[in-house]
Amino acid sequence: MTRLLPLADEPAPERADAARNREAILTAALRLVETRGVGCVTMDTVAAEAGVGKGTLFRRFESREGLMAAVLNESETAWQARVISGPPPLGPGAPPLERLLAFGHSRMRVNVTHGDLIRAATGHDPVRSRAAAGFALMHVRHLLGQLEVTGDLRFLAFALLAPLEAMALEQQRVDGISLEQIERAWDDLVARVVG
Amino acid sequence: MTRLLPLADEPAPERADAARNREAILTAALRLVETRGVGCVTMDTVAAEAGVGKGTLFRRFESREGLMAAVLNESETAWQARVISGPPPLGPGAPPLERLLAFGHSRMRVNVTHGDLIRAATGHDPVRSRAAAGFALMHVRHLLGQLEVTGDLRFLAFALLAPLEAMALEQQRVDGISLEQIERAWDDLVARVVG
């Protein structure tokens, strides 16, 4: 289709390029964070991995803190997509108890990385992390409903999620508790709550 | 007993006076915080209530933030004393389930005030508030043990306490949930965990 004028809601070619570029940088940064750990990811390694200049990185994200805040959002969004439409048991298709357990385990592991990202993103983006907590809460509440748990499902979902939140996990790990222990203890908590 | 030289570990008279003075200020400030709410307590009202000059207040606590941090500690200490040796059912003497429920309700109400104090004390004292969380954790773990709950008691205590923490309470209240609802939902959670 040939058009003489660009439509108002269509991004100009430069903007589309910029968006693709941004996405490529975030994908590369997230891959590095997941394989090497937040502490080992510098602006240099991200620029090299994404195949862009370091100047571009600073122009788009201002600082390592800004980039890490963007990576945090990228990671949360990718994880939510897996919950909503990824393969079971995290995604739809598995029985609700199996989904709930998979959700907790996955949330815990994602939140270990997110704790590091939150610290690395100092001063950025607290709003999104509340939105993220809202998504997890809604999902667990939904699964509890499917499991025909009665009572204040929002509160029960909150209690189930709280020990898996980034800062709570960190506190437990400082006390020498392993992720495997937390996982087992969480499964036991779910069994008690679901009844 | 007459001594010619002061002992090294004995405070000089001026220091004892200063400590009494400090205690009187904190007691007055805590009383004001509990009756009027943190937002309505100024350095002026505290000085008047404690019968000291405003200059003394600033000399001892530097700023309203500093005073609020000290009031937070004062409040936590007073509350811990009630748990350890106050009247039942919060203090010793009641059956463990009754003590656990009283503990949760009391912790919730204290934490509503503590949330306001933490915000008013910006930049002060994160260490003490971790110590406070440690005390609550230990106590709930102890009561779960008395109730012969088996499993990872530390984790279960953590899950029980998390929805009562200051910031968690605030999140729930922003969503329009009343303290009475939280209290009922918490009792239900305790029943599930204790079994």
Side-chain angles (χ1 to χ4, degrees):
Chain A
M1 186 172 91
T2 307
R3 284 194 310 267
L4 293 176
L5 291 170
L7 295 177
D9 60 357
E10 184 188 30
E14 297 81 354
R15 287 209 44 202
D17 270 9
R20 266 195 298 276
N21 208 303
R22 188 186 153 85
E23 202 46 45
I25 293 170
L26 288 178
T27 306
L30 180 55
R31 191 166 52 235
L32 285 172
V33 160
E34 284 175 349
T35 53
R36 302 194 190 174
V38 173
C40 298
V41 177
T42 64
M43 293 300 256
D44 282 311
T45 54
V46 173
E49 178 85 6
V52 300
K54 209 168 142 184
T56 307
L57 218 57
F58 277 100
R59 215 160 35 245
R60 288 208 194 288
F61 299 99
E62 278 184 28
S63 61
R64 183 171 183 272
E65 287 76 22
L67 175 61
M68 290 304 165
V71 172
L72 178 59
N73 287 342
E74 179 76 7
S75 170
E76 178 68 27
T77 305
W79 180 78
Q80 291 186 8
R82 291 210 304 278
V83 173
I84 293 169
S85 57
L90 183 60
L97 183 57
E98 224 177 285
R99 267 197 98 186
L100 180 55
L101 294 172
F103 180 90
H105 299 181
S106 173
R107 188 73 193 150
M108 183 187 73
R109 281 166 202 279
V110 154
N111 272 342
V112 170
T113 303
H114 286 190
D116 294 339
L117 283 169
I118 289 165
R119 255 186 316 282
T122 323
H124 287 262
D125 223 27
V127 178
R128 280 291 180 102
S129 105
R130 276 207 56 172
F135 169 84
L137 205 57
M138 228 172 55
H139 187 70
V140 170
R141 185 181 176 162
H142 166 74
L143 292 175
L144 291 176
Q146 289 195 324
L147 286 161
E148 296 177 4
V149 174
T150 55
D152 187 335
L153 300 191
R154 194 190 171 289
F155 185 89
L156 292 175
F158 196 97
L160 284 177
L161 284 167
L164 305 182
E165 284 310 302
M167 296 306 123
L169 281 178
E170 183 172 308
Q171 196 180 322
Q172 295 174 81
R173 296 180 80 200
V174 166
D175 293 347
I177 299 167
S178 72
L179 291 183
E180 289 67 30
Q181 278 174 285
I182 298 175
E183 214 167 79
R184 274 198 304 275
W186 195 77
D187 291 356
D188 172 51
L189 177 64
V190 167
R192 289 169 197 263
V193 166
V194 169
Chain B
M1 184 172 90
T2 306
R3 282 196 310 268
L4 293 176
L5 292 170
L7 294 176
D9 60 355
E10 185 187 32
E14 297 81 353
R15 287 209 42 202
D17 270 9
R20 268 196 298 276
N21 208 302
R22 189 187 153 84
E23 202 46 45
I25 294 169
L26 288 177
T27 305
L30 180 56
R31 191 167 51 235
L32 285 171
V33 160
E34 284 175 349
T35 52
R36 301 192 192 176
V38 173
C40 298
V41 177
T42 63
M43 293 300 255
D44 281 312
T45 54
V46 173
E49 178 86 6
V52 300
K54 208 168 143 184
T56 307
L57 219 56
F58 277 99
R59 215 160 36 244
R60 288 208 194 289
F61 299 98
E62 278 186 27
S63 62
R64 185 173 183 270
E65 286 76 22
L67 175 62
M68 291 304 165
V71 172
L72 178 58
N73 287 342
E74 179 76 8
S75 171
E76 178 67 28
T77 305
W79 180 78
Q80 291 187 8
R82 290 210 304 278
V83 173
I84 292 170
S85 58
L90 183 59
L97 183 58
E98 222 176 288
R99 268 197 97 187
L100 180 56
L101 294 172
F103 181 90
H105 299 181
S106 173
R107 187 72 194 151
M108 183 187 74
R109 281 165 203 279
V110 153
N111 272 341
V112 170
T113 303
H114 286 191
D116 295 336
L117 283 170
I118 289 165
R119 255 186 315 283
T122 323
H124 288 264
D125 221 27
V127 178
R128 280 294 180 101
S129 106
R130 277 206 55 171
F135 170 82
L137 205 56
M138 226 172 56
H139 186 69
V140 170
R141 186 180 176 162
H142 166 74
L143 292 176
L144 291 175
Q146 290 196 323
L147 285 163
E148 297 176 5
V149 174
T150 55
D152 187 335
L153 300 192
R154 193 188 172 289
F155 185 89
L156 292 174
F158 195 98
L160 284 176
L161 283 167
L164 305 183
E165 284 309 302
M167 296 306 122
L169 280 178
E170 183 173 307
Q171 196 182 324
Q172 296 174 79
R173 295 180 80 201
V174 166
D175 293 346
I177 299 166
S178 71
L179 291 183
E180 289 67 29
Q181 279 174 285
I182 298 176
E183 212 165 81
R184 275 197 303 275
W186 195 77
D187 291 356
D188 172 51
L189 177 63
V190 167
R192 290 170 197 262
V193 166
V194 169

